[in-house]
Amino acid sequence: MSLVIRLARAGTKKRPVYHVVVADNRAPRDGRFIERLGYFNPLLPKEKTERLKLDFEKVQAWMKKGAQPSDRVMRFLDAAGIMKRPKRNNPEKAIPRKERKAREEEAAKAGGAPAAEGGKPAEKATEKPTKADNPAEAALAQAAS
């Protein structure tokens, strides 16, 4: 049984409130959980202390038992100084799509091949195979092209 500390959505439509819970990772997001550790209200301003309430002793106890925090809960624990969240590196995220396409086109023109920086491979210009009455002729036509 793999345990995870995650958010379970509560509240009404368009007014979310999240409970911080310990649950089996196979359980539904808003379904069965083992213990409730606190709550998170994203509608409140970030300055308010009522926005997040967590029982950090219980969180640490569950982590010693092997519970893994989700990404969002890990952010909360990092802000509280309990756990260090590893930095993520996604250089493509900061570049707008138009600029990315322009870079790929420039690299394709300069090198004659698509950019190896994460661009999509160039599509091959292939002819559609013609339908032949004989399957052997169709195989020979595909092999010739």
Side-chain angles (χ1 to χ4, degrees):
M1 180 165 91
S2 181
L3 297 175
V4 65
I5 302 172
R6 65 181 178 203
L7 299 177
R9 193 176 194 275
T12 60
K13 181 179 175 182
K14 301 203 181 203
R15 309 264 316 157
V17 175
Y18 295 93
H19 297 160
V20 181
V21 297
V22 176
D24 183 6
N25 68 342
R26 297 169 293 184
R29 179 192 70 177
D30 303 333
R32 188 178 63 223
F33 61 90
I34 299 168
E35 185 176 7
R36 189 172 152 195
L37 305 176
Y39 64 85
F40 170 61
N41 187 352
L43 299 176
L44 294 176
K46 292 185 179 182
E47 303 84 38
K48 292 220 173 198
T49 58
E50 297 89 35
R51 182 179 166 97
L52 174 69
K53 180 182 178 286
L54 266 176
D55 189 348
F56 293 113
E57 291 82 26
K58 285 184 180 179
V59 170
Q60 288 177 333
W62 277 107
M63 287 175 63
K64 286 179 184 174
K65 293 176 186 174
Q68 296 294 317
S70 66
D71 291 340
R72 177 56 55 183
V73 174
M74 181 128 25
R75 284 177 181 258
F76 298 150
L77 298 177
D78 186 33
I82 292 177
M83 188 175 198
K84 187 69 177 157
R85 186 173 142 257
K87 273 275 199 210
R88 293 192 177 179
N89 185 17
N90 186 0
E92 293 293 318
K93 183 178 179 185
I95 303 171
R97 185 171 183 184
K98 288 181 182 178
E99 291 179 20
R100 245 185 294 163
K101 279 192 170 183
R103 281 187 186 179
E104 289 172 6
E105 289 173 3
E106 289 173 9
K109 287 178 186 176
E117 299 173 2
K120 293 182 181 177
E123 295 179 16
K124 296 180 182 177
T126 58
E127 297 178 13
K128 284 189 172 182
T130 57
K131 290 187 179 179
D133 295 333
N134 189 351
E137 290 177 3
L140 286 174
Q142 277 187 331
S145 60

